[in-house]
Amino acid sequence: MNTILLLEDEAALSRGIQFKLEKEGYRVIACDSIREARLQFQANPVRLILCDIMLSDGSGLDFCKYIREELQSDVQFVFLTAMDTELDIVIGYETGADDYITKPFSLMVLVSKVNALMRRIDNAKEYESVMTCGEIEVNCREMKVYKGGEEIALSKKELQLLVYLWENAGRIVSKENILEHIWDVDGQFVDDNTVTVNISRLKNKLGTEEISNVRGLGYIWSGKVIRR
């Protein structure tokens, strides 16, 4: 059974989320403190974490850093929070989150999102190829990116976004297509700035202008990509 760790200190919301997800067949471990969540994560085979940011004993951002940096875990991590400014979203992704859902949200939509994330985990492909464009290289098997031989630290979402743009190099991909392929939601409750923020951060980290915004249509990678 797929296990989800839910870290939410608003009791009514936590019960509602747990009830809906358990009806879908998931095992939900509900915690209301970071201390409890740390213990439960290490004691259970968790596949997905749903985490509030403003918690009674600290910040969900710190819990995410603990998962990513101290435990070196790549478990799917999603923030559920009322903090919805562009800066909040950037900080969430920089901390290591795979997704960021702003409150209030529909429980049914949340369930759809969780189902999509679980399908992505189950159907994840292990790519064997290496893709290059100029000085930039993506080793798809190792999920690492290099420029001029030096590794560039990208989040999972940024790497997925880069690979998606490269797979469609020379073609315009709409914001909706990016949301569908990278976030699996048709834009239902992902913040409008999600794609824009991630594109901007990707361009800055790669130091490239080969990602262009085609006004009103979407984005395009203009460089020549070689797969080998």
Side-chain angles (χ1 to χ4, degrees), residues 209-227:
E209 293 298 323
E210 291 184 295
I211 306 175
S212 303
N213 179 10
V214 182
R215 186 176 296 275
L217 295 176
Y219 298 90
I220 185 171
W221 182 278
S222 57
K224 182 179 180 180
V225 175
I226 300 172
R227 184 189 288 269

Side-chain angles (χ1 to χ4, degrees), residues 61-74 94-96:
L61 296 170
D62 292 331
F63 179 58
C64 186
K65 288 179 182 178
Y66 166 75
I67 294 294
R68 294 293 187 236
E69 298 175 8
E70 292 191 37
L71 299 186
Q72 295 290 301
S73 173
D74 61 356
E94 289 283 2
T95 303

Side-chain angles (χ1 to χ4, degrees), residues 14 58 89 91 112-113 118-119 146 152 156 160 176 191:
S14 179
I89 296 169
I91 292 173
S112 296
K113 176 68 172 180
M118 289 301 186
R119 286 195 301 271
Y146 303 88
I152 300 174
K156 284 198 296 184
Q160 290 170 354
E176 291 73 20
D191 189 275

Side-chain angles (χ1 to χ4, degrees), residues 139-224:
N139 186 314
C140 297
R141 179 179 174 83
E142 297 179 358
M143 299 304 283
K144 291 183 178 181
V145 179
Y146 303 88
K147 183 173 183 181
E150 295 187 6
E151 185 176 352
I152 300 174
L154 298 185
S155 70
K156 284 198 296 184
K157 288 297 182 188
E158 290 166 348
L159 192 145
Q160 290 170 354
L161 178 57
L162 176 60
V163 170
Y164 182 65
L165 290 171
W166 277 20
E167 288 176 339
N168 293 277
R171 297 194 295 267
I172 298 172
V173 289
S174 68
K175 181 183 291 187
E176 291 73 20
N177 283 338
I178 292 173
L179 287 171
E180 179 182 354
H181 283 82
I182 308 301
W183 282 269
D184 283 331
V185 288
D186 300 329
Q188 293 182 70
F189 55 74
V190 172
D191 189 275
D192 287 342
N193 290 321
T194 296
V195 174
T196 303
V197 167
N198 278 271
I199 288 285
S200 177
R201 290 171 54 222
L202 184 60
K203 288 176 66 174
N204 289 337
K205 287 186 177 183
L206 295 178
T208 182
E209 293 298 323
E210 291 184 295
I211 306 175
S212 303
N213 179 10
V214 182
R215 186 176 296 275
L217 295 176
Y219 298 90
I220 185 171
W221 182 278
S222 57
K224 182 179 180 180

